[in-house]
Amino acid sequence: MDQLALLFVLLLGAVVSVPVGDRVGLPAPVLMTLLGIVLALLDFVPNVEISPELILPLLLPPLLYAAVRRTSWRQFAANIRPIFLLAVALVFVTTLCVALVAGAIVPGLPIAAAVALGALVAPPDPVAATAVAGQLGLPRRLVSILEGEGLFNDVTAIVLYHVAIAAAVSGTFSPWRAGLDLVLSAVVAVVVGVALGWGANKLMDLLDDATLQIGLTLLVPYASYVLAEELHGSGVLAVLTTALFLAEYAIDADDVLTRLAGHTFWDIVDTLVTGVAFGLIGLELHNAIRTASGRWGEMLGWAAAIVGVVVLVRLLWLLPATWVAKRLHAKQDYAEEIPMSWRETVVMWWSGMRGVASVALALAIPLKTDDGSAFPDRDEIVFIAFGVIMATLVLQGLTLPWLVKKLGVKADTEREKEFEKTLAIRAAKAAKRRLREIEEVEELSEELTEQLLRRAFEIGVRISPDMADEERREAHEQRVKRLRRIRRIQGEMMSAARHEVLAARSEAGADPEVVDRVLRHLDVRSLR
């Protein structure tokens, strides 16, 4: 098996792991990691050969962009305090504690290399956490915290990692210079992110084609990352800024086709890239086994010690930080999303799985320093890092469903239904307002107006049937049954039309481009 065949196996596994995970009740990232481990144990499977400097640019931009699409800038702004308390500050604390312990137990490990190890194992993975949380039906506020924590943790940890790697490679370190570099890196990243977000938004308006617009969204994260890195900024923060800008401003409410196709496209990208990334985690067991050859007891002991530090520090930090966040929340009554009980805090603690960012950073450690010598203790750092990743991802990923069930942490479905009902009412009122505006400039018959008002009301009822009273609900249900019957028959009619047009594609003299154009017209009509 060569590298290309291995890539196709991982891509196939990424697709298959989703339905298999749904059936067996395990998250797809955990299954992909286990698949990678199985492949790593097979003699005919080759070692993964990816240049360290390509790992971050290839994996992180699409994953970050896909994750940010599920959130919004306003959500981050509203939760900046709990995100800082429960996330960003925790990265610094975890990095410090891991660096101190690693420096003490690994003989001859330089402090810069120890800090790099601490930075790369510090950030929990947003992809793994939200994938698990989405299947477990956790409260939305908890999922939002995990998403925000994962994204901002990645930014913080990667900036710390780059500072530590630069110190280890060059052999010099200046705290003032490092602090200045951190600030400049953040400023450059934000400027690049906003500029590219603004430019991409304007370019999308000019393209005016769903295929081209979606293709542009695939290029933008990479462009943002590479440009920021070239200007000595944080590529991850630039991607985050660009994605938040586009999520806020590049949305056309009436561009239904582009929005639906875009969601589908990015779901595919997210699934494939995530699967490959977690498969690589398991495959790196090859190199870990080779590194530990003859030193299993010693290196497993180091990895176990760092795993204990990572897990324990997270718990010891979250308990008081959550208490502080709740006290501040109660005093100022901000609309923040924070853990509301010790049970939710425990679930958040156990959701701190390491994943894509950590494996990318571990693999991206340079092979040599500036003077041409080998990077100090690189093999040991990579082994410890993968020990932490495997222990947290597999152990916590497999046991988190049991823990959530045991603690009884569930989503607040009543609150979600109430918010859904509120949105349904707002949508129906907006439709009625627009109808009144049209009536002022166009003459509508009384019968047509009554019919359109009923349609406006039905817009809301279809979203949330609870907004209608009993009598109206029954009448609506009758109309829905009638419409479903009509749509079923119309669907069969459209299906017959599509089959006829598609059959013409194989006829002699048929122009396939014309056939595809007519078929697309029928598809769009069916979608509407």
Side-chain angles (χ1 to χ4, degrees):
M1 180 183 290
D2 59 16
Q3 298 284 326
L4 185 59
L6 180 59
L7 175 61
F8 282 122
V9 170
L10 292 179
L11 290 172
L12 178 62
V15 174
V16 174
S17 66
V18 176
V20 172
D22 291 338
R23 289 198 173 190
V24 301
L26 291 176
V30 175
L31 289 180
M32 282 304 300
T33 306
L34 296 175
L35 172 64
I37 293 174
V38 172
L39 291 174
L41 296 176
L42 300 177
D43 292 335
F44 60 86
V45 175
N47 286 336
V48 179
E49 297 176 3
I50 304 177
S51 179
E53 59 268 17
L54 293 179
I55 296 293
L56 290 176
L58 285 176
L59 293 180
L60 285 184
L63 291 177
L64 286 170
Y65 190 85
V68 174
R69 283 174 59 88
R70 297 188 289 267
T71 63
S72 70
W73 166 251
R74 305 205 183 280
Q75 187 180 46
F76 281 127
N79 294 296
I80 189 66
R81 189 171 56 192
I83 285 175
F84 178 80
L85 277 174
L86 306 179
V88 177
L90 180 56
V91 170
F92 285 95
V93 175
T94 304
T95 300
L96 176 62
C97 293
V98 169
L100 291 175
V101 173
I105 64 176
V106 180
L109 182 67
I111 186 63
V115 172
L117 171 62
L120 70 90
V121 300
D125 185 71
V127 179
T130 52
V132 174
Q135 293 183 349
L136 298 179
L138 295 178
R140 179 58 207 171
R141 62 177 173 274
L142 207 56
V143 177
S144 297
I145 296 171
L146 290 172
E147 289 175 342
E149 177 195 17
L151 292 171
F152 280 95
N153 270 351
D154 282 352
V155 173
T156 309
I158 290 172
V159 172
L160 285 175
Y161 167 87
H162 281 310
V163 171
I165 290 294
V169 168
S170 65
T172 60
F173 177 73
S174 168
W176 296 107
R177 179 62 184 272
L180 180 61
D181 287 344
L182 284 173
V183 173
L184 290 177
S185 173
V187 172
V188 169
V190 171
V191 172
V192 169
V194 171
L196 276 181
W198 181 85
N201 189 23
K202 295 298 181 184
L203 188 54
M204 283 183 187
D205 293 337
L206 294 176
L207 293 175
D208 195 28
D209 179 85
T211 303
L212 299 178
Q213 289 175 341
I214 295 169
L216 180 64
T217 63
L218 179 62
L219 298 177
V220 166
Y222 287 107
S224 184
Y225 184 95
V226 173
L227 181 58
E229 290 290 326
E230 287 294 321
L231 297 175
H232 305 289
S234 168
V236 174
L237 183 56
V239 174
L240 184 63
T241 305
T242 300
L244 286 173
F245 187 96
L246 291 176
E248 193 74 18
Y249 297 106
I251 297 177
D252 183 355
D254 295 324
D255 196 356
V256 178
L257 188 60
T258 300
R259 184 162 53 253
L260 291 175
H263 280 302
T264 302
F265 173 81
W266 275 103
D267 283 344
I268 294 170
V269 172
D270 194 19
T271 299
L272 294 179
V273 178
T274 300
V276 170
F278 282 98
L280 287 175
I281 295 175
L283 279 168
E284 277 300 313
L285 190 64
H286 255 315
N287 297 326
I289 292 174
R290 188 179 68 247
T291 300
S293 180
R295 305 167 60 194
W296 278 103
E298 182 183 45
M299 296 191 72
L300 285 176
W302 294 344
I306 301 302
V307 170
V309 171
V310 166
V311 174
L312 188 60
V313 166
R314 182 172 175 83
L315 177 63
L316 295 179
W317 178 265
L318 285 180
L319 289 175
T322 302
W323 179 82
V324 171
K326 283 193 286 189
R327 288 292 298 270
L328 294 174
H329 175 77
K331 284 184 178 181
Q332 302 189 26
D333 195 27
Y334 286 153
E336 296 174 328
E337 292 164 329
I338 57 177
M340 300 306 292
S341 67
W342 68 268
R343 291 180 177 85
E344 291 186 4
T345 302
V346 170
V347 170
M348 186 177 174
W349 161 57
W350 204 243
S351 300
M353 295 164 280
R354 274 58 181 176
V356 176
S358 295
V359 69
L361 293 175
L363 295 177
I365 296 175
L367 299 176
K368 295 183 179 298
T369 62
D370 287 344
D371 61 8
S373 61
F375 190 94
D377 297 304
R378 184 183 189 274
D379 290 343
E380 287 76 6
I381 293 173
V382 172
F383 182 88
I384 294 172
F386 274 89
V388 173
I389 294 165
M390 298 303 298
T392 57
L393 184 60
V394 176
L395 177 62
Q396 292 179 310
L398 292 176
T399 56
L400 185 60
W402 172 85
L403 181 66
V404 170
K405 184 178 180 180
K406 199 74 174 175
L407 295 176
V409 177
K410 298 179 181 178
D412 189 354
T413 55
E414 289 301 319
R415 182 183 175 187
E416 291 179 3
K417 286 183 179 179
E418 191 62 33
F419 183 54
E420 189 177 76
K421 180 179 177 181
T422 301
L423 289 179
I425 294 172
R426 288 175 58 181
K429 287 183 176 179
K432 289 179 182 179
R433 280 198 308 270
R434 182 57 185 152
L435 176 59
R436 296 304 183 196
E437 292 171 359
I438 293 173
E439 280 185 305
E440 293 178 2
V441 295
E442 294 184 32
E443 187 176 342
L444 302 178
S445 67
E446 186 176 339
E447 180 183 356
L448 180 57
T449 301
E450 181 63 30
Q451 183 181 355
L452 291 172
L453 280 172
R454 188 165 60 248
R455 291 280 179 89
F457 177 75
E458 287 176 353
I459 289 174
V461 175
R462 286 175 185 173
I463 299 172
S464 176
D466 293 340
M467 67 174 283
D469 55 34
E470 191 66 31
E471 183 178 348
R472 280 184 161 185
R473 194 179 298 131
E474 290 180 3
H476 172 70
E477 288 174 357
Q478 292 298 324
R479 283 194 296 273
V480 168
K481 287 181 181 178
R482 186 173 69 253
L483 285 172
R484 282 177 180 169
R485 187 180 181 189
I486 293 173
R487 285 177 179 172
R488 177 180 59 80
I489 296 173
Q490 284 181 335
E492 293 182 13
M493 292 167 60
M494 293 297 292
S495 176
R498 284 193 296 270
H499 278 83
E500 185 66 25
V501 172
L502 198 57
R505 212 176 193 280
S506 58
E507 295 175 358
D511 187 338
E513 288 191 9
V514 176
V515 173
D516 290 344
R517 187 162 64 243
V518 174
L519 191 62
R520 179 178 173 81
H521 173 78
L522 293 175
D523 288 341
V524 172
R525 182 64 182 265
S526 300
L527 182 65
R528 290 175 178 172

